[in-house]
Structure formats: C-alpha cells, structure tokens
Amino acid sequence: MKIKETAIYLGKPFALIYRDSDNFDELPKEKCRQVYGVCFYNGLVVLGFSRRMQKWSLIGGTVEPDETIEDALIREIKEESNMKVLKYWPIGYQEVVDEGVYQLRYACIVEPYGPFKKDPDAGEGYGVDKICTVDPQEFTKYVQWGKIGKRLIERAQEIVAKNR
C-alpha cells in the first residue's frame, strides 16, 4: 500500500509517502534516519507525550551513526518508555520527500523494565515526559497522523495477530 500526505511539523509542511514493507533491505541505511515502534503491551498501544510538542506520539527516535536500525529501535523504546522489546516486525516506512530520508515503522511487543522513568532527552525539551496505554481502536484519537496513522495501526495489528 502507498499513501501520499502532507504533514505539518513545527509549522512547516512536509510531503510524505508511506509504504507497507516487510523488510527495509531495499532502503539505503544512511538515509534511514528515524525508527518508531507501534508498541503493544497487554494488547494496548504504548504512546509517549512530549511536553515540547504538546502531543502524543509513537515511541522512537533518531538512528545514531554507529548503530543498527534494530539497535536504535530497542534503545529508543527503552529510553522513552522504560520498556523492553520482546519481539518486533517491520510494518512500513515513510519517505520525507523534501529531505530524501526515511522513517521506519515497526510493530513491537514490549514489557516494562519497571516504573516509567523520564526520557533522558525530556529535560532538554525533547523526548517523552509521560507515557500511556490506549486501546488500538483509540489510537487515531491520540496520534493524529491522517491516513498514514490509520494504516500504521491497522498493519501493526495485522502483523502482531499473524505472529502470535
């Protein structure tokens, strides 16, 4: 599936193209800049709230130059939610057309290491200040990413159900 949309980020419009994908082998690693998980814990989706952005979002962030995409996914989920990734599967990627970079999306099964600890980046105005879990049917009420967001939650649920 391919979805084209425009998103506004910090007041600037960005052209996006989302594509379903079962792997990211065809993408140049140096252009894969961000990775986010649709994280499920006990059947609910884990979301992070950014005080700076004043909104809920998926858990994830930037791929560091010295790490694999999967290592970045696991690290970001731990930092932003204090949760351990038990299993993960690619679900798709989003191309930020104007910048020529990709943002990868995974479905993940997670569990807490312990109580939520503030994201280390939250003190700098970035990162996650708090987390919550929501029913997948409520996802688009929290994460308002249009058709792309709707497809992400649908595909994540499909993949998790298939791999149980």
Side-chain angles (χ1 to χ4, degrees):
M1 174 171 286
K2 181 177 172 181
I3 301 170
K4 292 182 180 183
E5 282 192 317
T6 299
I8 305 297
Y9 180 72
L10 297 176
K12 182 179 174 187
F14 288 90
L16 306 173
I17 300 173
Y18 169 83
R19 292 179 178 89
D20 288 345
S21 185
D22 293 328
N23 69 65
F24 304 125
D25 297 340
E26 73 276 13
L27 300 176
K29 184 188 180 311
E30 70 276 4
K31 292 189 176 199
C32 296
R33 300 283 173 82
Q34 291 184 329
V35 59
Y36 284 80
V38 179
C39 298
F40 292 91
Y41 174 61
N42 288 338
L44 301 174
V45 180
V46 180
L47 299 176
F49 184 81
S50 166
R51 184 178 62 241
R52 177 176 180 254
M53 301 297 293
Q54 286 297 301
K55 65 181 181 178
W56 293 97
S57 185
L58 295 175
I59 304 293
T62 303
V63 179
E64 301 295 334
D66 62 336
E67 68 186 345
T68 67
I69 291 163
E70 292 81 8
D71 287 345
L73 176 71
I74 292 165
R75 175 186 54 77
E76 286 286 352
I77 290 171
K78 180 179 183 182
E79 286 177 1
E80 292 193 352
S81 68
N82 199 35
M83 295 212 181
K84 178 180 182 179
V85 177
L86 304 174
K87 296 179 184 178
Y88 59 88
W89 305 272
I91 58 176
Y93 62 91
Q94 179 169 283
E95 179 182 359
V96 183
V97 177
D98 303 330
E99 297 187 1
V101 298
Y102 301 97
Q103 300 171 336
L104 312 183
R105 307 295 191 242
Y106 285 83
C108 305
I109 303 296
V110 299
E111 70 179 12
Y113 283 105
F116 172 71
K117 296 177 182 179
K118 196 175 201 180
D119 178 359
D121 291 334
E124 300 170 19
Y126 299 93
V128 173
D129 297 290
K130 61 184 173 180
I131 62 171
C132 73
T133 54
V134 300
D135 185 290
Q137 303 305 317
E138 302 290 310
F139 176 81
T140 58
K141 291 181 182 176
Y142 287 82
V143 180
Q144 298 172 352
W145 289 357
K147 293 176 186 173
I148 292 173
K150 187 173 189 285
R151 179 61 186 154
L152 285 174
I153 193 66
E154 289 170 354
R155 180 130 162 92
Q157 288 178 284
E158 290 167 5
I159 288 178
V160 167
K162 182 173 88 172
N163 288 287
R164 284 186 193 244

